Structure formats: C-alpha cells, structure tokens
Amino acid sequence: VRMDQPYSRLADTMLDVQYVRGDEKLYDDTGWTLGYARNIDFSRMHPNDTIPFDMFLDRQVYHLYIRYLGKETIRTKYAKFRCIKFRPLLIKGTIFEGGEKMNVWVSDDPNPIALRVESPISVGSVVVDMINYRNLRYPLSSLVDL
C-alpha cells in the first residue's frame, strides 16, 4: 500500500491494529455488517422491527441496528426480483452520512444476495446493482423476470 495516495487514511485505518475485548461479538466495518444482515432470518419479522448489533470502528464500539422494511419486488439493471429490504443505521464518516439513509435489497430466497444498495454519500449518492451472478448454492428462485 502506497501511503502517498488519496486512500492512504482508509488503508491505514483498515491495516492498523484494532483492540477489542475477547468476549464481544463485533463487526468491524460496513462490508462485514452487510454480510451479517444477509444471514438474518427475516421470516418472523414485521416492518420496522430492528435487529441490534455492535460494530467496532476506529477503536470504538458502536451500538447499531438494522431496520427490516419488508418485502418488495424491484427491477435492477439485471432483472426483476422479489426482495427483502432493510436499512442499516450508519455512523457518520468521511463517505457515508450517519443515520438510516442506506437502503439494501437482498434476494428473497435461500441465497440472500445483495441485489441493490442505495445511499447518499458525502459528494452525492450511489446506487449499486448486481449485474451478474454465478456459483450460487441454491436456485435463484427470487428471479421474477429478465
């Protein structure tokens, strides 16, 4: 990692030693948090239910949650899918605004793959759509139409 590049602070934070007590179950960044959210059993949840979790970032523990918003059918750049929609509580930082501003849609099937993520960022907004998939463990039964 070249430390004279624009991403050097991010690389430094990610590569730095982070200290945490051994008895805590924590997730250490947004990427891990979304992976955690993909594996939540939403079948018994109602819209606006929250799932609490702790995240360790910049040597600090944050008590956050994921808000279940329900099920929707969306059309992405790839196809039309039945989805589970949720919104994680974010920490204000250099990229993301804080609060419940990111929306995530995962496939409503045994794979729960991220199909779309939308969020405002410090310089505008970002929309990420799944454009391809392969090597799924289960059939993509949430696919409605190509």
Side-chain angles (χ1 to χ4, degrees):
V1 174
R2 289 188 46 200
M3 298 311 283
D4 61 343
Q5 297 298 310
Y7 55 82
S8 65
R9 280 190 41 207
L10 174 64
D12 184 48
T13 299
M14 294 183 77
L15 297 173
D16 195 14
V17 175
Q18 299 202 23
Y19 300 94
V20 64
R21 292 190 340 240
D23 61 341
E24 295 181 88
K25 183 176 181 183
L26 303 169
Y27 295 88
D28 64 356
D29 67 15
T30 304
W32 281 104
T33 302
L34 292 178
Y36 166 73
R38 287 183 54 229
N39 294 300
I40 294 170
D41 180 8
F42 290 104
S43 65
R44 295 188 189 127
M45 302 203 73
H46 303 303
N48 288 317
D49 282 355
T50 59
I51 303 105
F53 68 96
D54 292 332
M55 185 166 77
F56 185 68
L57 183 67
D58 296 333
R59 296 186 178 99
Q60 186 173 348
V61 175
Y62 294 90
H63 304 290
L64 304 173
Y65 59 84
I66 296 165
R67 183 177 304 279
Y68 171 68
L69 298 175
K71 296 186 178 191
E72 292 184 357
T73 300
I74 65 165
R75 177 162 293 282
T76 68
K77 291 180 181 180
Y78 182 79
K80 188 175 185 180
F81 294 94
R82 284 186 313 280
C83 301
I84 296 169
K85 182 179 180 182
F86 58 86
R87 189 175 289 155
L89 176 64
L90 299 177
I91 303 163
K92 182 172 175 45
T94 56
I95 297 174
F96 294 107
E97 296 180 12
E100 289 186 40
K101 296 181 180 173
M102 176 184 283
N103 290 305
V104 179
W105 291 263
V106 297
S107 59
D108 187 13
D109 59 32
N111 298 298
I113 56 176
L115 298 170
R116 174 173 286 159
V117 178
E118 293 179 350
S119 182
I121 58 174
S122 59
V123 295
S125 64
V126 63
V127 177
V128 179
D129 272 356
M130 189 251 339
I131 57 170
N132 199 357
Y133 68 91
R134 65 175 178 262
N135 301 326
L136 297 180
R137 181 176 288 177
Y138 304 102
L140 191 59
S141 59
S142 61
L143 178 64
V144 175
D145 182 33
L146 287 175

